[in-house]
Amino acid sequence: MHDTDGTRHQDGLRIIAAGAVVILHYSDYFKDVPVGRFMVAHTWHFNLFVDLFFVVSGFVIARQYFGRVNDAASVSRFLWRRLARIYPLHLATLAFYVALAGALHFGAARTDNPARYPLSDIPAQLLLLHAFVGERLTFNFPSWSLSAEMFCYLLFPALALLAQRRKEAIVALVIGTALANSLWACAAGTTPWADWINQGGGFRALPAFSLGMACHLFREQIARWPAIPGALAASLLAFILFGSLLPTMTALLAIYVIALLAVQADCASRETLLLKFGFDRWSSLTYSCYMLHIPVATVVITLGSRLLSLSPNERLILAPVAIIVLAVASTLSLRSFETPLRRYLTEAFERRATRPAPAPAISRQESPR
């Protein structure tokens, strides 16, 4: 009998994916030196690890909430819990950059990219709409994926209801949304949909999120797939090293395959090389690391290099410093900010939801005395 509820391989992949995104974005800070240019050229495909987040999210959300969001109260509880998880840190990092934008406006700071801080983009950021109507990548720009995730969360109750009637409909949704994205990209002449971020990022996320849902719904069948020893670790390593040689959509397909291999290993309760390295032990830091790595880079790399008047080559020493600061900041954020605030918001919702209705007032005529 297989334990189809574990997610250790997916958890391990999440923290690896977060680390890859950090490497991609931090490389861009050093593109003025040869090693930075080399890294930028050979890590562009790391941006597709965000799509792996979407697959894992679909699996985990289906695992936790499938069959539990079937009325208005349960849907409200689900959406509130998701907001309590993602919104506080998003709001905190947005506030950091809005404060920085204020400092730029009053001349207390300077930047080489003032277009990154448009005040007109704040409403979309606050409403988590910036994967659709964002002007460009602004403020804490990795947060576009939160907007895309929220789009999937809003659709999840309807998708779960559909899946309860016919599981195969979710597989059709994976294929249908991927085809619709491809047709739109061709008709509108956009970039490949795997590159959609602030203009259509939610539609980019939907096939991956639906794939994760489908994997949960068919987990017992997936557990019986024939296993290829070492396939997960080998495919992940090959993607990291050589993914930059692939066309964008082929690289996205590779990410989906890696996610499926991780799901298969979890569903079959197999031990793989990925688990032996213990990456899953750090998975709880994934979101903190993802959301904080750009603010940390702003402070440590950008401001630090200016304060210390470092040359482009000297700035390289700030890369390991930023990674250490990020590890510490992520741990503190998770323990001292995100978790307590999430618990508070969840408990506040539950108290309000379970509060007894006030007794109807008794008129003088109805008084028992």
Side-chain angles (χ1 to χ4, degrees):
M1 184 74 176
H2 295 301
D3 174 13
T4 57
D5 288 330
T7 58
R8 291 183 63 196
H9 289 88
Q10 295 172 76
D11 290 342
L13 279 185
R14 285 170 55 225
I15 193 64
I16 292 171
V21 172
V22 171
I23 291 171
L24 167 66
H25 291 157
Y26 280 15
S27 297
D28 194 57
Y29 283 82
F30 303 99
K31 59 187 177 184
D32 293 335
V33 296
V35 66
R37 287 192 293 274
F38 175 86
M39 291 297 294
V40 168
H42 291 85
T43 61
W44 71 265
H45 58 296
F46 286 6
N47 79 88
L48 296 174
F49 274 112
V50 176
D51 297 271
L52 188 145
F53 291 146
F54 297 143
V55 178
V56 175
S57 178
F59 186 95
V60 171
I61 293 299
R63 173 179 172 242
Q64 292 180 341
Y65 292 101
F66 188 71
R68 297 174 55 194
V69 284
N70 42 28
D71 57 31
S74 59
V75 169
S76 298
R77 179 176 290 104
F78 162 70
L79 292 175
W80 181 262
R81 288 189 173 190
R82 299 321 302 159
L83 278 172
R85 175 68 183 100
I86 68 174
Y87 200 75
L89 191 54
H90 167 59
L91 191 60
T93 57
L94 177 61
F96 168 79
Y97 279 109
V98 170
L100 182 57
L104 295 171
H105 178 75
F106 291 106
R110 61 184 178 87
T111 179
D112 297 327
N113 186 19
R116 184 177 158 189
Y117 310 104
L119 298 182
S120 59
D121 211 33
I122 291 178
Q125 293 268 345
L126 289 173
L127 296 173
L128 290 176
L129 295 174
H130 52 301
F132 297 94
V133 296
E135 292 184 11
R136 58 187 70 84
L137 288 176
T138 58
F139 299 104
N140 188 29
F141 61 84
S143 70
W144 74 267
S145 65
L146 303 189
S147 173
E149 284 266 5
M150 198 65 211
F151 175 65
C152 295
Y153 296 156
L154 289 169
L155 292 178
F156 175 75
L159 298 181
L161 193 61
L162 177 66
Q164 285 179 325
R165 298 179 179 178
R166 191 170 183 84
K167 292 194 298 185
E168 292 79 5
I170 302 302
V171 177
L173 182 67
V174 176
I175 299 169
T177 51
L179 285 176
N181 285 350
S182 300
L183 289 173
W184 179 261
C186 290
T190 71
T191 58
W193 58 267
D195 288 332
W196 293 353
I197 298 179
N198 54 304
Q199 298 290 336
F203 298 113
R204 165 183 170 178
L206 191 54
F209 187 86
S210 302
L211 177 60
M213 282 188 64
C215 286
H216 172 74
L217 295 172
F218 291 94
R219 60 195 182 279
E220 293 181 359
Q221 293 89 330
I222 291 173
R224 294 193 292 268
W225 287 355
I228 304 174
L232 175 57
S235 61
L236 177 61
L237 183 61
F239 180 81
I240 290 172
L241 294 178
F242 306 114
S244 61
L245 303 177
L246 299 173
T248 301
M249 295 307 298
T250 306
L252 177 64
L253 183 61
I255 280 290
Y256 287 175
V257 170
I258 291 169
L260 282 170
L261 289 171
V263 168
Q264 183 197 19
D266 283 331
C267 291
S269 299
R270 288 193 293 108
E271 292 284 329
T272 70
L273 187 61
L274 197 68
L275 290 191
K276 291 180 180 179
F277 283 108
F279 289 111
D280 58 300
R281 290 179 297 180
W282 308 102
S283 64
S284 61
L285 294 173
T286 298
Y287 180 65
S288 311
C289 178
Y290 179 77
M291 287 296 291
L292 291 174
H293 75 279
I294 294 301
V296 166
T298 298
V299 174
V300 174
I301 300 176
T302 302
L303 299 181
S305 63
R306 289 176 183 171
L307 289 174
L308 298 173
S309 301
L310 300 179
S311 68
N313 283 307
E314 291 172 335
R315 292 178 69 201
L316 288 171
I317 192 60
L318 296 178
V321 175
I323 291 172
I324 293 171
V325 172
L326 176 60
V328 174
S330 298
T331 303
L332 291 175
S333 174
L334 178 65
R335 294 178 179 176
S336 304
F337 177 70
E338 298 168 61
T339 300
L341 194 52
R342 181 172 74 251
R343 287 175 179 168
Y344 171 80
L345 291 172
T346 301
E347 290 169 1
F349 180 89
E350 294 300 332
R351 285 195 300 269
R352 183 177 180 84
T354 57
R355 183 183 301 166
I362 301 176
S363 66
R364 290 178 181 269
Q365 291 80 3
E366 294 172 330
S367 175
R369 289 192 292 176

